Amino acid sequence: MLKLENIDFSYAKQKILHEINFHLKNHEFIGIIGPNGSGKSTLLKNVSKLLDPDKGSIYLDRNLLNDYSYKELAKKMAVVPQDTKVNFNFTVYDLVMMGRNPYQDRWGRISQKDKEKVKEAMELTDTAKFKEKSIKNLSGGERQRVIIARAIVQEPELLLLDEPTASLDINYQRNIFDLISDLNEELEMAVLAVSHDLNLISQYCERLILLNKGKIHSIGEVEEVITKENISDVYNTQVDIKYNPITERPYVIIIPRQKNNQKIKEHDFKVHLICGGGTGKDIMNILNDLNIGVSTGVLNRGDSDWEEAKRLNYEVVEIPPFAPIDEYAMQENKEKMKDADLIIISDTPFGWGNLDNIKVLANFEDKDILFMMNNDIEKRDFTEGKFTELYKKIKENNNVNEIHSHKKLCNFINTKYEGIFYG
Amino acid sequence: MENKINYFYIILAIILLLFVVGILSLSFGSINLSPIRVLKILFFDQEVRQSLNVIIKQIRLPRVLLSFLVGAGLSIAGVVFQGVIRNPMVDPYIVGISAGAGTGVTIAIVLNLQISFLFFSTIPLMAFFGSLITVYIVYNLAKTKDKVPVVTFLLAGVAVGFVLNAIMSFFMVIGTRDLSKIVYWLLGSLSTASWHDIKLMLPYFIVGNFIIIFFLKDLNLILLGERDAQHLGVDVEKSKRFLIIGASLVTASVVSVSGSIGFIGLIVPHIARMLVGPDHKKLFPTAAILGGIFLIISDDLARILLAPMEIPVGIITALTGGPYFIYLLRKTKKEIW
């Protein structure tokens, strides 16, 4: 139905879309999600011929989009825009009839077929009851249904929707998406819908495209796209994924920043974080929210914790991918620990490769140390007991605390280091 | 269905009104005749006194007809400009389009460019170019991204209008021998109306209206927003271009014979919209006829109020239109359409 090949688009030299490729099959329903400014709407405008891509080709039913006249295009593709405020006194009926424009001649004579199509569409969208009303006097949800009726009478094979429920209450959101879903299933229209509401669109579409900074970050079945990694990665926020028990579709829940959101007073309070394999990401984000300076190490380059630390501009003691910790890195790490007021050890497992991180800790007597303990210590030990032994030794010498969930981290820092925060 | 019947009665009523106003306007003047006598002269040639025949057919009839055409033309141009720019505060006079046409005419008179070829003469043509260039400049000055906000459009129109007035004054100073001709024309008057004027403007008037009617349907869709219109199959840029050319032609044809008569293109479309709604297929004929009636009456007042002296009709329309414009400005944008 619709195929995009290597689409690039820029506004005034600023690249908005980069190498977009995807294929929308006949009768398929694809949702496009992504943060603000990721290029969702721009992508849709390229598809609807409002904007011309700088590079690449868009095919609609094997023909180039540019080869369609506006009139021919309007018979194949209908667009439901985001903002559908109509300030003019057109009746609902007249407005829906305008959808027949591509089928009418210059003088806009209305045929019997036009009338039938309009009647059908108005019944389908349940808008027949206010057919004589002025479009101005409808509520947002009613107006959007009228606009969808107008799209239906175009008899399109492809329906494009740009945030169709952006300003509507949830009852209307459901109502509109149910309607779109019917059009997709019963009238076999292919649907390409942009939405910033991940959860809403995920309940309806077959496949999802996740855009980030003008590129396709991921594309595929809803379950493949709505993952904790993808969403945290693209939206830079902490989320969790649950499953809707009825649709069995994934939905995203936001984890609010912990209640104590005071900013730190002095910047010389520092934390050194020992982590790896993604176990440190959440901790970094919590510390970042608290505005606390963090160093971390030793980490292998390419490790997901390493990536996050780089993203947050933390000092990282790093070694090549998969390499064991060398003497030099260990020394550097020791310096960082010395500077830190608190050393946090994430829930990461320990093997021979990263055990040196812990060994160093034994040198710092009286240093504040915090172990994250979501898992049993034995389960994290891949050193035949060496790690457990070290852990016990550290616990004897130092000022060691343990907490069992990330949620408590914030509270812990707040109570223990009360003086470092404002107010 | 109800709407259609309503529309039918409205059109019927204003056509009747036009007829009555037309006959009455032919009756009054320096010599007053009864309407019945006027009808007899017009349709049955039953007048023995040759002088009355001349007064009605050679003096009053062209004047009433021209008033009608000018009023209709300005209203049509108003409807089109308001639709294309999606802004009910626009009228050829306010946004400087009349001034553009005027500058064209002034240049034509001063440089003595009065040539006639077939039915088309150069004065309306110069007016046409003048108005087209003005629309282009004003529109692009006012445009921000893909919107044309009311305020910037009005300001751009006023600013360009000032410049054009300066240019007109300049040419008037240069061409002092034609001064009276230009000043007279500038005041906006129909007192010299003759069959010759009608012949001069009619070809442009007809061509302009044909273009507009051809693209009239698109105007409804453009009103919804240019994006929506495109999605509904309208080649928006093309339609807009032709509609503006058509409206400029009509404005030019009218301005070249009557001078700049203001505010009709603002008021009449608004009244017509209140009567028949925003559908341009209904709005166009309604506004045209109403505009014609409006100017015929204004011109009657111009003739009668201080008779035997004549007030330039532009003064009458400005005196009624100005306050109306202020009233519209005070209302919120939403309620105007």
Side-chain angles (χ1 to χ4, degrees):
Chain A
M1 179 87 243
L2 178 74
K3 197 172 175 189
L4 276 76
E5 284 181 2
N6 296 318
I7 296 301
D8 278 13
F9 180 82
S10 16
Y11 267 126
K13 287 186 184 164
Q14 200 192 343
K15 207 151 209 178
I16 308 286
L17 295 177
H18 193 80
E19 302 251 316
I20 304 286
N21 283 291
F22 71 88
H23 184 191
L24 175 79
K25 300 186 204 87
N26 286 347
H27 323 318
E28 199 184 14
F29 187 161
I30 292 188
I32 302 176
I33 55 172
N36 293 337
S38 59
K40 300 182 299 260
S41 292
T42 309
L43 175 59
L44 210 67
K45 279 177 197 154
N46 273 272
V47 174
S48 67
K49 215 184 159 185
L50 278 177
L51 298 173
D52 276 337
D54 303 337
K55 223 184 78 193
S57 336
I58 302 176
Y59 294 95
L60 184 65
D61 261 357
R62 291 190 193 82
N63 295 316
L64 272 174
L65 188 68
N66 275 331
D67 291 345
Y68 286 91
S69 71
Y70 289 113
K71 201 167 172 176
E72 288 309 311
L73 195 62
K75 292 181 190 174
K76 276 220 156 292
M77 176 163 87
V79 183
V80 175
Q82 178 177 9
D83 183 10
T84 54
K85 269 210 178 112
V86 179
N87 274 337
F88 316 110
N89 255 321
F90 287 114
T91 64
V92 169
Y93 184 84
D94 286 345
L95 201 83
V96 175
M97 188 55 93
M98 287 182 191
R100 293 300 293 173
N101 179 59
Y103 297 91
Q104 291 168 347
D105 62 10
R106 263 278 131 230
W107 317 113
R109 275 184 290 248
I110 293 166
S111 69
Q112 198 54 42
K113 192 179 175 206
D114 291 340
K115 284 181 190 161
E116 279 162 22
K117 287 286 165 196
V118 168
K119 195 164 171 255
E120 274 171 35
M122 293 187 86
E123 274 161 17
L124 198 65
T125 51
D126 197 25
T127 49
K129 57 187 173 213
F130 26 76
K131 123 184 187 191
E132 294 300 330
K133 262 196 184 177
S134 164
I135 186 80
K136 261 164 71 174
N137 301 331
L138 299 189
S139 73
E142 291 166 340
R143 198 164 55 217
Q144 200 63 320
R145 290 217 307 270
V146 172
I147 300 297
I148 291 175
R150 191 183 73 190
I152 295 171
V153 300
Q154 286 178 254
E155 300 180 78
E157 290 162 42
L158 170 62
L159 191 61
L160 302 181
L161 302 122
D162 188 4
E163 307 264 10
T165 60
S167 51
L168 303 182
D169 295 340
I170 56 165
N171 54 335
Y172 279 123
Q173 290 184 349
R174 198 195 112 175
N175 184 298
I176 297 286
F177 268 98
D178 282 348
L179 180 60
I180 294 165
S181 188
D182 287 347
L183 297 179
N184 175 236
E185 282 158 22
E186 283 155 35
L187 298 182
E188 302 196 323
M189 287 180 199
V191 177
L192 187 63
V194 162
S195 178
H196 69 269
D197 192 336
L198 313 177
N199 289 331
L200 187 65
I201 192 108
S202 306
Q203 308 310 311
Y204 288 93
C205 66
E206 289 162 64
R207 285 199 293 155
L208 265 181
I209 294 173
L210 174 59
L211 281 184
N212 188 28
K213 295 173 189 149
K215 292 181 189 165
I216 294 189
H217 179 279
S218 36
I219 177 167
E221 305 274 319
V222 176
E223 292 77 9
E224 294 163 8
V225 175
I226 302 279
T227 63
K228 205 171 166 177
E229 289 71 36
N230 284 344
I231 303 301
S232 311
D233 194 17
V234 169
Y235 288 85
N236 278 335
T237 186
Q238 292 186 59
V239 295
D240 208 350
I241 307 294
K242 299 283 175 204
Y243 277 79
N244 183 330
I246 295 152
T247 60
E248 297 187 337
R249 297 289 187 100
Y251 67 89
V252 177
I253 54 172
I254 311 166
I255 304 168
R257 185 168 60 196
Q258 302 304 305
K259 196 180 127 203
N260 306 291
N261 53 357
Q262 306 104 305
K263 294 287 183 198
I264 195 160
K265 203 191 291 178
E266 36 198 326
H267 269 279
D268 44 349
F269 183 82
K270 275 184 81 176
V271 167
H272 184 78
L273 177 64
I274 296 170
C275 57
T279 55
K281 270 184 168 179
D282 288 350
I283 301 171
M284 288 184 215
N285 279 307
I286 292 168
L287 295 174
N288 191 46
D289 281 348
L290 291 170
N291 212 13
I292 292 175
V294 178
S295 59
T296 179
V298 179
L299 287 170
N300 294 93
R301 275 195 289 276
D303 185 289
S304 56
D305 280 342
W306 174 84
E307 279 180 359
E308 186 73 359
K310 283 287 173 192
R311 186 180 75 76
L312 294 168
N313 277 327
Y314 289 161
E315 297 167 51
V316 187
V317 183
E318 54 182 42
I319 48 174
F322 305 110
I325 299 171
D326 54 36
E327 193 59 37
Y328 179 75
M330 205 162 115
Q331 202 53 44
E332 201 188 337
N333 209 27
K334 212 166 150 184
E335 294 299 317
K336 298 272 186 260
M337 289 183 189
K338 216 184 270 175
D339 287 347
D341 300 270
L342 170 67
I343 300 169
I344 300 177
I345 297 96
S346 81
D347 223 5
T348 184
F350 282 91
W352 297 111
N354 61 351
L355 194 66
D356 284 348
N357 278 336
I358 297 290
K359 274 187 193 161
V360 184
L361 273 181
N363 298 333
F364 298 107
E365 295 184 14
D366 298 331
K367 195 67 128 175
D368 286 352
I369 292 175
L370 177 66
F371 275 92
M372 303 301 295
M373 283 291 184
N374 295 2
N375 267 319
D376 290 342
I377 189 97
E378 285 80 17
K379 282 186 187 161
R380 291 164 57 186
D381 189 348
F382 294 89
T383 55
E384 296 156 10
K386 189 82 180 142
F387 167 59
T388 318
E389 199 183 296
L390 269 170
Y391 164 70
K392 280 178 181 157
K393 199 179 150 198
I394 293 162
K395 219 172 159 183
E396 277 169 26
N397 291 340
N398 300 57
N399 186 11
V400 172
N401 285 283
E402 286 175 18
I403 53 172
H404 300 280
S405 84
H406 290 148
K407 275 186 201 162
K408 289 182 184 149
L409 178 60
C410 213
N411 283 334
F412 173 83
I413 293 177
N414 265 308
T415 29
K416 191 153 164 83
Y417 303 100
E418 222 177 335
I420 65 169
F421 293 103
Y422 286 110
Chain B
M1 238 23 214
E2 205 183 311
N3 270 334
K4 253 183 197 160
I5 296 166
N6 268 338
Y7 173 62
F8 176 74
Y9 283 128
I10 288 169
I11 280 287
L12 200 70
I14 57 175
I15 289 174
L16 266 174
L17 181 66
L18 170 66
F19 192 71
V20 171
V21 168
I23 297 299
L24 285 177
S25 303
L26 289 174
S27 316
F28 297 118
S30 47
I31 299 167
N32 287 330
L33 300 168
S34 77
I36 293 173
R37 200 155 170 201
V38 170
L39 280 174
K40 276 183 184 161
I41 294 173
L42 274 185
F43 296 110
F44 305 105
D45 247 340
Q46 284 178 354
E47 183 56 52
V48 275
R49 280 169 60 190
Q50 191 53 35
S51 61
L52 283 186
N53 230 330
V54 171
I55 286 175
I56 297 296
K57 284 190 176 167
Q58 295 303 320
I59 297 174
R60 288 191 191 166
L61 185 59
R63 182 161 184 172
V64 169
L65 267 180
L66 197 68
S67 301
F68 175 78
L69 289 174
V70 169
L74 289 172
S75 302
I76 289 166
V79 165
V80 174
F81 282 125
Q82 287 175 11
V84 169
I85 288 147
R86 271 180 296 134
N87 179 342
M89 304 301 285
V90 174
D91 127 272
Y93 185 72
I94 292 168
V95 296
I97 296 157
S98 301
T103 309
V105 174
T106 311
I107 293 172
I109 292 175
V110 171
L111 301 183
N112 217 5
L113 294 173
Q114 300 179 55
I115 309 155
S116 224
F117 178 71
L118 290 176
F119 301 106
F120 296 88
S121 60
T122 44
I123 287 199
L125 198 66
M126 288 293 284
F128 171 60
F129 288 128
S131 58
L132 212 55
I133 292 167
T134 313
V135 181
Y136 183 81
I137 293 172
V138 172
Y139 186 79
N140 281 296
L141 276 179
K143 200 167 158 182
T144 53
K145 274 187 183 170
D146 51 354
K147 275 188 198 150
V148 184
V150 185
V151 178
T152 49
F153 200 86
L154 292 180
L155 285 176
V158 170
V160 172
F162 276 134
V163 175
L164 289 170
N165 281 323
I167 294 173
M168 269 195 272
S169 307
F170 174 73
F171 275 99
M172 277 155 66
V173 172
I174 289 184
T176 31
R177 68 197 150 82
D178 299 311
L179 199 58
S180 61
K181 207 168 169 185
I182 297 171
V183 169
Y184 204 75
W185 175 86
L186 272 182
L187 282 170
S189 169
L190 294 158
S191 56
T192 52
S194 64
W195 286 110
H196 171 75
D197 286 335
I198 292 181
K199 253 194 265 171
L200 187 79
M201 59 95 70
L202 208 55
Y204 293 92
F205 186 84
I206 290 172
V207 172
N209 274 307
F210 260 118
I211 297 175
I212 293 169
I213 290 168
F214 198 73
F215 288 93
L216 201 58
K217 186 185 67 153
D218 294 349
L219 211 44
N220 280 345
L221 293 139
I222 289 173
L223 217 51
L224 301 179
E226 295 186 7
R227 278 178 197 176
D228 280 35
Q230 189 183 311
H231 292 147
L232 292 168
V234 177
D235 188 342
V236 176
E237 286 309 314
K238 185 177 133 195
S239 295
K240 263 168 57 181
R241 212 173 304 133
F242 275 101
L243 283 164
I244 286 176
I245 288 174
S248 299
L249 263 175
V250 172
T251 309
S253 71
V254 162
V255 168
S256 55
V257 290
S258 70
S260 27
I261 295 174
F263 295 103
I264 293 188
L266 178 83
I267 305 172
V268 174
H270 186 228
I271 295 171
R273 215 173 273 120
M274 287 197 294
L275 283 175
V276 295
D279 182 352
H280 283 89
K281 278 177 274 175
K282 298 173 186 169
L283 194 57
F284 176 88
T286 312
I289 303 171
L290 278 180
I293 297 174
F294 186 90
L295 196 60
I296 293 175
I297 296 177
S298 301
D299 189 50
D300 288 345
L301 292 175
R303 283 193 291 154
I304 294 164
L305 279 181
L306 292 181
M309 198 183 114
E310 276 206 19
I311 311 165
V313 71
I315 293 175
I316 307 269
T317 58
L319 280 179
T320 43
Y324 197 77
F325 179 66
I326 294 166
Y327 157 77
L328 280 186
L329 263 181
R330 301 271 310 175
K331 274 178 82 172
T332 55
K333 258 187 278 171
K334 265 188 221 162
E335 289 165 25
I336 297 168
W337 289 93

